[in-house]
Amino acid sequence: MKRETINAAIISLTLFAFAFILGEVFTSKGKKETKELTEYEILMGASEEKASLPGPIAVFSRAWQELSNPFYDAGPNDKGIGVQIFYSLGRVLLGYFLAIIIAVPAGFLIGMSPIMYKALDPFIQLLKPISPLAWMPLALFIIKDSAMSAIFVIFICSVWPILMNTAFGVASVKKDWLNVGRTLEMNAFQKAFQIILPAAAPTIFTGLRISIGISWLVIVAAEMLVGGTGIGYYVWNEWNNLDLASVIFSVLMIGVVGMLLDFLINRAGKLFVYTE
C-alpha cells in the first residue's frame, strides 16, 4: 500500500473520530423543565423530556438495530431499511434504463446530424432546466399511479445528461477516423458500432454517471411526495414519528447507496476506455 494512501486513511479516521467526539459533546439527552410548573403547563406536556438531536452513539445504536433485520415487513408503514432501499433502487433503475434506451439513440442522432441538432436544440434547452419534481403533478394526473409517477420523474431527470453527453461525444469523434471508415467502405451500422460508439463511450459514461447521481437525489424527494414505500418515504415517516436517530441513520444510508451507485457506474465506464 502506498504511503500516500496510508496517510489519507489516517487523516480520514482522525476526522471521523473528531466528528464523533464533537457530535457526542454537542448533543445531549433531552432535559426536563426544572422550575415549578403550573397545572396547565403539566397538562400541556411541559414536564416531559424535551426533544434533542441524538448523538453518534444513539445513531449507531439505531443503525445496529435496523441493520440486524433490514428486510422485515410488518405492514404498510413498518418495513425494514433494506426493503425501503430496494423499492427506491427498483424505481431509480427502471427510470434510469428507460432514459438510456431513449437518450443514447437520440444523442447519436443529434451528434451525427447538424440539422437534427439545430431542430431539436430549442426543445432541449426549454425542457432541460425544468425541475424534475415540477413534472410530478402532471405525472400523477396522467399516469394515476404514484409509483409509476416517481419512475417517470427519474426518467425525466436522467434523460438530459445522457442525451447531451452522448450528442457531444458523437459530434467530437475525429473526422479522420470517419474518413478511414469511408475508405474501408464501412456502412453506417459498422461506423456507428466500430468507430463512433467506442470513441464516444467515455463521454457517454460521464453522462450516465451524472444521471445516476441525480436520479438517486431526486427519488428521495419524489418518494417524500408520493409516500407509500421507499427510502424517501422512510425518512419522512421517521420524521413524523420524531425519531431523529432513524432520520440521521437513513440519511447516512442514502449517502452510502449513492456512493455505491457512482462507484459501479465508474467501474463499468473503465471497461470501455478507448485508447488511440
Side-chain angles (χ1 to χ4, degrees):
M1 186 181 292
K2 293 182 179 179
R3 186 171 184 82
E4 185 180 2
T5 305
I6 295 172
N7 290 338
I10 292 171
I11 292 172
S12 294
L13 290 172
T14 305
L15 288 172
F16 176 78
F18 187 65
F20 190 95
I21 294 168
L22 276 182
E24 278 302 312
V25 170
F26 287 101
T27 55
S28 61
K29 293 182 178 178
K31 297 178 181 177
K32 289 186 177 180
E33 190 61 67
T34 54
K35 69 177 184 179
E36 189 174 346
L37 300 173
T38 63
E39 187 176 349
Y40 175 77
E41 288 174 329
I42 293 172
L43 286 173
M44 295 302 294
S47 61
E48 296 178 2
E49 196 174 80
K50 293 182 179 178
S52 62
L53 198 64
I57 292 176
V59 174
F60 276 100
S61 174
R62 180 52 53 88
W64 177 259
Q65 183 183 344
E66 292 285 343
L67 294 175
S68 61
N69 187 17
F71 298 108
Y72 76 90
D73 189 347
N77 291 323
D78 191 12
K79 299 181 191 299
I81 188 73
V83 176
Q84 304 287 16
I85 288 174
F86 270 111
Y87 272 111
S88 298
L89 279 176
R91 289 169 187 146
V92 165
L93 293 179
L94 188 54
Y96 181 70
F97 284 117
L98 284 174
I100 291 174
I101 291 169
I102 299 296
V104 172
F108 256 76
L109 180 65
I110 293 169
M112 294 177 71
S113 170
I115 295 175
M116 290 305 296
Y117 173 79
K118 290 179 181 176
L120 296 177
D121 187 59
F123 298 102
I124 294 171
Q125 298 306 323
L126 174 68
L127 297 173
K128 188 177 65 171
I130 299 173
S131 168
L133 294 177
W135 293 99
M136 182 61 83
L138 286 176
L140 287 169
F141 179 76
I142 295 169
I143 301 173
K144 302 186 187 307
D145 183 276
S146 58
M148 292 304 296
S149 298
I151 292 168
F152 173 76
V153 168
I154 296 302
F155 166 79
I156 285 290
C157 74
S158 299
V159 76
W160 305 119
I162 300 173
L163 178 69
M164 298 307 295
N165 277 274
T166 303
F168 177 75
V170 170
S172 302
V173 175
K174 292 181 179 178
K175 301 300 179 190
D176 291 344
W177 297 347
L178 297 175
N179 291 335
V180 171
R182 290 193 192 94
T183 304
L184 295 174
E185 297 183 347
M186 287 181 167
N187 56 37
F189 188 80
Q190 288 173 317
K191 279 193 288 186
F193 281 90
Q194 295 181 22
I195 297 177
I196 297 173
L197 186 59
T203 313
I204 295 172
F205 269 95
T206 301
L208 294 176
R209 196 175 171 187
I210 294 170
S211 285
I212 196 68
I214 296 173
S215 299
W216 189 243
L217 288 173
V218 170
I219 192 64
V220 175
E223 288 173 343
M224 284 182 178
L225 288 174
V226 298
T229 52
I231 189 67
Y233 172 72
Y234 179 84
V235 174
W236 195 245
N237 196 40
E238 295 305 315
W239 161 246
N240 287 328
N241 293 332
L242 296 179
D243 189 346
L244 293 179
S246 289
V247 170
I248 296 172
F249 162 67
S250 53
V251 167
L252 292 174
M253 289 302 297
I254 291 169
V256 169
V257 175
M259 183 178 68
L260 288 175
L261 290 173
D262 183 73
F263 173 78
L264 291 174
I265 297 295
N266 188 33
R267 294 294 295 179
K270 288 183 178 177
L271 298 176
F272 297 93
V273 172
Y274 180 78
T275 54
E276 294 186 32

